Amino acid sequence: MIEITDLQKIGIGLAGFGISFLFLGMLLLFDKGLLAIGNILFISGLGCVIGVERTLRFFFQRHKVKGTTAFFGGIVIVLLGFPIIGMIIESYGFFALFSGFFPVAINFLGRVPILGSLFNLPFMQKIVQKLGGDGNRTTV
């Protein structure tokens, strides 16, 4: 089993609070303060979980320049006081950066007992197959 250090536990908490603040900020009509705090907590949590060096390597890879620019540009626009426009740009950057992780997450969630049966419903199968990619790939 993989051992989790105390710093990684703190990072998971920070990232969780960051996502919660982002959700609340959007729920409360794009509150600028909550969105800014959520962004800062999420990025600092990511840095604690995978380490500062790996975080910087992830964001500043040559093929992820467009996503990184959109993500951090959206954060700056939120901080400047335009939360709706900033969140749209930030969402594009998030999907551009983490789109490679979506098939892994969808396939994992499909193996969870209750969610797997929900993913097998007829109207959900098309969406899951589109997001999850090719289900015939071998996993290691």
Side-chain angles (χ1 to χ4, degrees), residues 21-83:
F21 274 91
L22 286 170
F23 178 73
L24 281 173
M26 287 188 285
L27 192 66
L28 296 173
L29 302 175
F30 292 95
D31 181 55
K32 180 174 61 169
L34 289 174
L35 293 173
I37 292 170
N39 284 324
I40 292 168
L41 287 175
F42 177 74
I43 292 173
S44 61
L46 188 65
C48 288
V49 170
I50 65 174
V52 175
E53 181 183 346
R54 289 179 67 189
T55 302
L56 291 175
R57 270 193 281 147
F58 173 77
F59 279 112
F60 296 109
Q61 294 176 9
R62 187 172 296 281
H63 66 280
K64 293 184 178 182
V65 170
K66 189 189 306 184
T68 300
T69 305
F71 186 72
F72 286 115
I75 291 173
V76 169
I77 291 172
V78 166
L79 292 174
L80 289 176
F82 301 101

